Amino acid sequence: QVQLVESGGGLVQPGGSLRLSCAASGSILSIYDMGWYRQAPGKQRELVATMTRGGRTNYADSVKGRFTISRDNAKNTVSLQMNSLKPEDTAVYYCNADIITNPPPRSNYWGQGTQVTVSS
C-alpha cells in the first residue's frame, strides 16, 4: 500500500533547469534515507542524490554543484532541483526511500520513474 510517485520531468535545453518531486503515501511510520537515482539507456542505475531524515546529503560527483536535494519530513516528500543541465543528465529518474510502515517492518521502495531529456 506504500507508494512513491515522481513528477516534474520533461524536455529541457542544455544549461536549463528542472525540479523533480516525489511524494510517499500510505501507512508510514517514518522514512530513513530518501533520494534520487537515474538510469540512462544501456547503463546501470546510479545514485544521484540522497538525504537522511536528519538532513545529511550524498551526491554523485557528476552532479555536485549543479543539483540540490531537499526533504519535507512532515509531508513525506523529496525534491531535486537540477540546474545547468547537460545532455549526459538524460535518463529516467527514480525516487527511492527506506520506509518503516505502520505496522513495521522497514522496506525499500521505488517510484515508477520520470523521464528527463536534455537536448537542443
Side-chain angles (χ1 to χ4, degrees):
Q1 285 83 342
V2 170
Q3 187 176 15
L4 301 178
V5 179
E6 304 98 334
S7 63
L11 175 65
V12 65
Q13 299 224 68
S17 298
L18 284 174
R19 185 176 179 86
L20 306 182
S21 297
C22 172
S25 62
S27 299
I28 298 170
L29 275 179
S30 63
I31 302 178
Y32 284 96
D33 285 7
M34 197 173 192
W36 296 91
Y37 294 71
R38 67 187 181 187
Q39 188 166 21
K43 296 185 178 180
Q44 187 174 336
R45 190 172 299 186
E46 64 177 353
L47 182 148
V48 178
T50 61
M51 181 179 283
T52 68
R53 183 173 182 85
R56 177 167 44 85
T57 59
N58 183 32
Y59 292 94
D61 288 341
S62 60
V63 308
K64 286 180 180 177
R66 299 189 297 122
F67 292 8
T68 303
I69 189 170
S70 60
R71 283 180 68 167
D72 186 331
N73 292 333
K75 296 181 179 179
N76 292 143
T77 60
V78 63
S79 297
L80 185 70
Q81 179 65 47
M82 305 186 294
N83 299 326
S84 302
L85 283 161
K86 305 174 180 179
E88 49 263 47
D89 295 317
T90 295
V92 177
Y93 284 70
Y94 296 91
C95 182
N96 178 265
D98 287 311
I99 298 174
I100 301 176
T101 57
N102 186 13
R106 175 178 176 176
S107 299
N108 186 258
Y109 295 85
W110 291 94
Q112 290 298 306
T114 184
Q115 177 71 48
V116 172
T117 302
V118 185
S119 176
S120 59

